[in-house]
Amino acid sequence: AGEIEEALESGSGLLGLSGVSADLRLVIGAADAGDAQAGLAYAVYLHRLRAGVAAMTAAMEGVDGVVFTGGAGENSSRLRRDACRRLTFLGLDIDDDLNEAASGDRLVSPAGASTSVVVVAAREDLEIARQVRQVLRDGSCPH
């Protein structure tokens, strides 16, 4: 049981498929250098991401926008471009110049796009601070 837990927790996902790393940046780098396993891992990652976006869009009967956040979403213009490239049927499109622009909160879809594509900084530190303040003030945990 311990070996299975270790394999699922530490040896699956990007690392398990690529044999390179769980870090998407390293997987993309290896794929670009010709590593077939890393290329497969990135393709599976993109497939799962697109499938999730499409499924959620169907469940909500459409979307006004898609937000990329967190490590890969905020920092990989390539991931955003590649993810949206095969979701154009949902109205997703990327303006390459905006997508490659400096970091921070920003719109990366072209003007007039039917669905907005946005990058938003995660700001986990602010959420942690809010929760600590609540515990200190009320003595209660927010979750």
Side-chain angles (χ1 to χ4, degrees):
E3 289 177 22
I4 291 172
E5 183 178 342
E6 176 64 24
L8 290 173
E9 291 293 325
S10 303
S12 60
L14 280 174
L15 174 59
L17 280 174
S18 71
V20 173
S21 177
D23 185 324
L24 185 61
R25 296 169 296 190
L26 298 176
V27 171
I28 290 172
D32 288 346
D35 184 314
Q37 284 302 115
L40 173 65
Y42 183 57
V44 169
Y45 187 97
L46 281 171
H47 173 76
R48 299 285 302 166
L49 175 59
R50 290 183 199 125
V53 171
M56 287 182 269
T57 300
M60 295 184 295
E61 299 179 3
V63 292
D64 296 321
V66 171
V67 176
F68 286 90
T69 192
E74 287 176 52
N75 299 311
S76 180
S77 59
R78 164 113 175 245
L79 175 66
R80 294 188 297 269
R81 184 193 70 229
D82 291 348
C84 291
R85 178 177 288 147
R86 296 193 55 198
L87 293 171
T88 56
F89 68 97
L90 298 175
L92 299 182
D93 194 11
I94 293 280
D95 178 300
D96 289 327
D97 292 332
L98 294 174
N99 191 39
E100 296 292 335
S103 63
D105 298 347
R106 65 198 180 280
L107 183 70
V108 296
S109 51
S114 61
T115 304
S116 296
V117 180
V118 180
V119 177
V120 175
R123 297 178 182 87
E124 293 100 343
D125 55 337
L126 296 178
E127 181 59 27
I128 292 167
R130 273 189 215 104
Q131 291 185 24
V132 168
R133 271 195 305 274
Q134 183 175 348
V135 168
L136 293 173
R137 183 181 61 238
D138 304 337
S140 64
C141 188
H143 297 291

